[in-house]
Amino acid sequence: AELRLPLHAEGDAWVDLARWASDLGSLSSRACWVVQLPVTSYAALKGRRAILDYGELLDNAFGPLVKLVTEEPHGEVWLKLQELLHHVVAFELSACLAVTEPLNGEVPEPSDWNESQSHPLAYQFYHLWARLKGLNCARARAKQKELGLRAAASSPEALACAYLLGASSVSGCGSLSSHLPLQYLYMLDKVGVAVSQCSKRSLAGDASALQRLFTHGLRVALCTEDPAVSHWSDDPLGQTSRSCRATLNGSPPSSPFRGTRRTWRSRRLTSAFVLAIAVHGDRRRLSF
């Protein structure tokens, strides 16, 4: 199983998570964890005056992990954190409820962004990717496994950001079934898609949407998005599985991507062209 571990990156967030995982026996060889950073956490922490700027949030999220690799500190808390990280496989930016805003004008550094409202989605995606890249470089030098990048996204803009920054898997994907250009890109690069028919933030019971994703060649997996809200069941994954099985019993339509050529050059140019249309709806905005 792959479970989510929300991280609201204030000062001692990693200490609390490490103690929770160790003291309550939450770690198991049968499950791995994905650390989830909600895009709305900055506004909440800033409102409580727990952080001063977005740079402090990033330092709280990644600073202890870099210190654990580069300095090898001693102490009970650090041992518990090291044990937790053995079961962590990726970071995920949760953007299902985010409002997409364009980046206008000069973009400040994270340490200079101290406004009260949350940052544009693309801004947060980029800085999460950059910090994770630096952490993985340090882990590679220490001969430790790298951590992957995931996303929980529903809007076309969020799905496009996740694709551009190399996310290996995206959950939610509420609008993906109606966007053939993004489906084409996800299919070419084999980006994983985790959906739930029961979730209001995913397919929301749309049987034809699930059928289209399967038929168009995407790597589809099932997940239990917000089970306490959407499922109302003691077995949310079983409920999702039964709903999926009932949906796919019918004969699927033909795939529009059948017979696609996948040479490197055609993929590179086609991906850039299709992505511009998917996000902007106008190929004239494309720039190489």
Side-chain angles (χ1 to χ4, degrees):
E2 187 178 275
L3 309 176
R4 263 50 182 175
L5 188 63
L7 176 68
H8 295 275
E10 47 190 326
D12 295 327
W14 276 113
V15 174
D16 294 338
L17 287 180
R19 287 174 175 167
W20 167 81
S22 177
D23 297 346
L24 298 182
S26 304
L27 303 179
S28 169
S29 59
R30 301 178 60 184
C32 57
W33 294 88
V34 175
V35 177
Q36 188 179 69
L37 296 174
V39 295
T40 56
S41 61
Y42 171 79
L45 294 175
K46 182 69 174 177
R48 293 194 287 110
R49 298 183 180 180
I51 57 175
L52 296 176
D53 50 58
Y54 189 61
E56 185 177 352
L57 183 147
L58 293 174
D59 291 340
N60 292 339
F62 292 95
L65 307 188
V66 174
K67 182 177 180 180
L68 189 63
V69 175
T70 57
E71 301 180 15
E72 299 182 356
H74 300 284
E76 182 183 2
V77 172
W78 294 104
L79 290 177
K80 291 181 178 180
L81 180 56
Q82 183 69 59
E83 182 184 8
L84 172 60
L85 287 181
H86 283 314
H87 297 268
V88 172
V89 296
F91 273 79
E92 178 181 78
L93 185 65
S94 177
C96 281
L97 301 179
V99 177
T100 303
E101 297 179 3
L103 288 172
N104 297 321
E106 185 177 353
V107 180
E109 293 293 326
S111 58
D112 296 329
W113 196 302
N114 53 13
E115 300 178 9
S116 58
Q117 69 269 21
S118 293
H119 312 73
L121 181 60
Y123 184 90
Q124 295 198 46
F125 257 121
Y126 171 77
H127 284 287
L128 172 62
W129 169 83
R131 291 296 183 108
L132 184 59
K133 197 75 172 177
L135 174 61
N136 281 333
C137 288
R139 292 176 65 88
R141 286 195 295 267
K143 298 182 179 180
Q144 298 181 14
K145 66 177 182 179
E146 295 187 359
L147 301 177
L149 176 64
R150 311 284 178 83
S154 292
S155 68
E157 292 82 2
L159 293 170
C161 286
Y163 173 81
L164 284 172
L165 294 176
S168 59
S169 177
V170 182
S171 62
C173 304
S175 62
L176 184 60
S177 63
S178 59
H179 284 267
L180 284 177
L182 285 174
Q183 290 181 39
Y184 179 71
L185 298 179
Y186 275 52
M187 182 272 295
L188 283 180
D189 286 322
K190 300 179 180 180
V191 179
V193 175
V195 297
S196 171
Q197 277 203 284
C198 303
S199 173
K200 299 175 182 178
R201 295 185 295 182
S202 187
L203 301 185
D206 187 350
S208 61
L210 179 64
Q211 201 170 39
R212 286 195 300 272
L213 293 177
F214 267 107
T215 307
H216 295 172
L218 276 74
R219 298 175 57 191
V220 181
L222 298 181
C223 66
T224 54
E225 289 271 334
D226 50 18
V229 177
S230 300
H231 294 278
W232 298 97
S233 169
D234 294 332
D235 183 21
L237 186 58
Q239 182 183 7
T240 300
S241 178
R242 289 189 294 271
S243 176
C244 175
R245 189 181 301 114
T247 298
L248 298 179
N249 278 340
S251 58
S254 59
S255 171
F257 303 144
R258 190 166 298 164
T260 303
R261 295 183 60 188
R262 301 188 183 183
T263 62
W264 180 85
R265 179 172 178 80
S266 64
R267 280 182 56 185
R268 181 170 179 262
L269 296 180
T270 304
S271 297
F273 179 80
V274 172
L275 188 58
I277 298 177
V279 177
H280 302 295
D282 187 352
R283 66 178 183 179
R284 290 173 298 179
R285 301 188 185 188
L286 178 63
S287 59
F288 292 97

